[in-house]
Amino acid sequence: MQLTALKTLGDLKSNSYISKSIKDELRDNLIHNLKKDKSSFEGIFGYEHTVIPQLEQAILSKHNINLLGLRGQAKTRIARQLLNLLDEYIPVVEGSEINDDPFHPISLYAKELIEEKGDDTPISWLHRSERFAEKLATPDVTVADLIGDIDPIKAANLKLSYADQRVIHYGMIPRANRCIFVINELPDLQARIQVALFNILQEGDVQIRGFNLRLALDLQFVFTANPEDYTNRGSIVTPLKDRIGSQILTHYPKDIEIAKQITKQEAQLSDFKKENIIVPDLARTLLEQISIEARQSHYVDSKSGVSARLSITAFENLMSTAERRALVNGDSKTCLRLSDFNGIIPAITGKVELVYEGEEEGAEFVAQQLIEAAILNLYPKYFPEIKKLEKQDEDQSYDKVLDWFMKNDDVQFFEDDSNAEYESALNKIKPLEEMLNEYVSNYDKAEKYFWLEFILWGLSVHKKLDRNQVDTQLNFGDSFGSFIKGL
């Protein structure tokens, strides 16, 4: 018999239904998944040996949880995935504001209804998708918002005195009874409001002012917070921190491959982009390296962190840059170009918090520096290292390319060049393909021109070639020749 076919308290009793607390639900379903070697947290990459085991330990311990970490570390996503560990349906007293358990009623309404109707008390079924409540902590949140207060309008309408329990307006926490309740950015909650959470975390009940009653609520609390030294707006008061069972530290991806998985999963792309834009793996690697450089840059405030959203939105911008170019030129397919990375600058400038030196230089300058630093870091992994000091008369791997630029005019690209124009400009530089074939033999032929341009950018960031950007025009030329021309 389907559980949802049971309509009364008597039906539950006759079918030997056993009521469980929410923490028992989470624990029992996690144990089932662990025994079946089934993942409880899908789509969370990079936490398999760090955060997720700690989270599972906290659930087995029936702890309330605080996820502490910098921005963009999947804290809220983890909290929302806890829903998957709840039972599919639970019974509640029909009409109850606070999801009363028919076997353990706590509200005056549910108690009176059960006393009146007994086994005929009607019940309804609450799906797990409805058992999640979330509140963003802001300085204007009040105790009444979270816990509840007297409702004078209800008292007037029902013609009741303020001493009657029926005039209580329940806050978000009582209404989330038997649910997962998430408070995001906990340090932003005023200290006096945090104090109101002491009882519910330790004793499992709330007290509403003016009433001699205690609601023994059944909740799973999950808090998220940035480190206190970053959120100067506030902090978690020590007694509250003491009452949270487990504090779990989140972190950024520990290697580029994991970061690439996250970006690929989260980026929102149109069908045209998925089907008609070729994305070299080198482009994905370079994009993630930019985020890594941002986290290490002396221009960026390391305490604020650099969200994974930087890579995601930057990738979306990168694909849109290529899409726009293809639409302008009527190209049915195109491949990402390294020059397309100029299109990710708006995504970078909005995602990094600069220190004073960065503000002095300007957000766009810092974004350009991060792109160049990423290329500088990746270039030696594919091509010979370019040393600052070279022995005289020693042959270098890139001499042929540099000789070509000494004997020829600058090579020009425009952001809206068609595929044919772009490829024609790169094909002029014959030594480029020779160098590519010598050091990267297994590249996809469709990605050939991205690699050729990567060599040019690599030489330019190492100051071997001159690179100038004027509006939508990009020039590569001999650095010494450009210096002479400048004279």
Side-chain angles (χ1 to χ4, degrees), residues 9 13 93 101-122:
L9 177 56
K13 290 178 180 178
V93 175
D101 182 342
F103 291 102
H104 307 286
I106 58 174
S107 72
L108 181 63
Y109 164 82
K111 288 175 180 177
E112 289 180 344
L113 186 64
I114 291 172
E115 187 176 342
E116 176 190 344
K117 297 196 173 185
D119 285 352
D120 292 328
T121 302

Side-chain angles (χ1 to χ4, degrees), residues 182-406:
V182 178
I183 298 182
N184 284 314
E185 307 298 342
L186 181 61
D188 287 349
L189 207 60
Q190 291 184 52
R192 65 184 182 84
I193 312 301
Q194 293 183 36
V195 169
L197 299 175
F198 288 0
N199 256 48
I200 182 63
L201 287 173
Q202 188 62 41
E203 284 78 28
D205 60 39
V206 292
Q207 298 176 17
I208 296 175
R209 68 178 181 181
F211 289 93
N212 185 24
L213 83 155
R214 297 188 178 210
L215 293 175
L217 298 175
D218 178 24
L219 288 132
Q220 170 66 50
F221 275 100
V222 181
F223 304 100
T224 73
N226 288 314
E228 291 177 33
D229 57 353
Y230 162 57
T231 53
N232 296 320
R233 299 180 295 274
S235 62
I236 305 173
V237 297
T238 305
L240 179 60
K241 198 185 297 183
D242 182 55
R243 285 167 165 80
I244 300 172
S246 292
Q247 178 168 280
I248 299 170
L249 302 180
T250 58
H251 55 81
Y252 288 121
K254 294 190 175 180
D255 64 62
I256 282 183
E257 291 306 314
I258 291 171
K260 283 156 70 173
Q261 278 184 288
I262 295 169
T263 301
K264 186 175 182 179
Q265 173 182 271
E266 298 299 319
Q268 302 295 312
L269 303 178
S270 65
D271 290 340
F272 179 89
K273 292 172 184 172
K274 292 176 184 176
E275 295 166 8
N276 300 300
I277 300 176
I278 298 165
V279 184
D281 189 64
L282 177 58
R284 294 183 185 275
T285 303
L286 180 59
L287 190 76
E288 301 304 337
Q289 187 64 38
I290 291 168
S291 293
I292 292 171
E293 297 296 336
R295 289 170 192 141
Q296 299 170 350
S297 173
H298 65 279
Y299 290 126
V300 177
D301 185 356
S302 60
K303 291 179 181 178
S304 74
V306 176
S307 168
R309 288 182 283 270
L310 185 148
S311 297
I312 297 162
T313 55
F315 183 62
E316 291 168 348
N317 266 14
L318 186 63
M319 296 292 279
S320 294
T321 304
E323 180 185 30
R324 178 186 174 279
R325 185 183 64 249
L327 294 171
V328 166
N329 290 294
D331 292 327
S332 58
K333 291 184 82 73
T334 191
C335 180
L336 285 179
R337 303 172 187 175
L338 214 155
S339 45
D340 290 337
F341 275 74
N342 286 325
I344 74 171
I345 289 176
I348 297 175
T349 55
K351 297 289 186 298
V352 293
E353 192 166 331
L354 303 179
V355 295
Y356 177 76
E357 292 83 353
E359 296 286 0
E360 286 285 292
E361 295 290 355
E364 286 205 15
F365 171 84
V366 172
Q368 287 282 6
Q369 290 295 303
L370 295 176
I371 295 170
E372 291 189 9
I375 295 170
L376 198 66
N377 191 295
L378 289 179
Y379 189 83
K381 296 180 180 179
Y382 302 97
F383 298 100
E385 182 183 358
I386 300 176
K387 299 175 183 176
K388 289 185 178 180
L389 298 176
E390 300 166 1
K391 294 180 181 178
Q392 194 170 5
D393 299 328
E394 181 183 11
D395 288 339
Q396 301 294 330
S397 303
Y398 41 83
D399 280 350
K400 289 182 181 179
V401 177
L402 298 180
D403 287 344
W404 188 93
F405 276 96
M406 288 181 68

Side-chain angles (χ1 to χ4, degrees), residues 39-55:
S39 172
S40 301
F41 300 93
E42 297 291 341
I44 308 277
F45 300 112
Y47 286 171
E48 294 85 356
H49 306 294
T50 53
V51 174
I52 289 176
Q54 293 178 18
L55 191 61

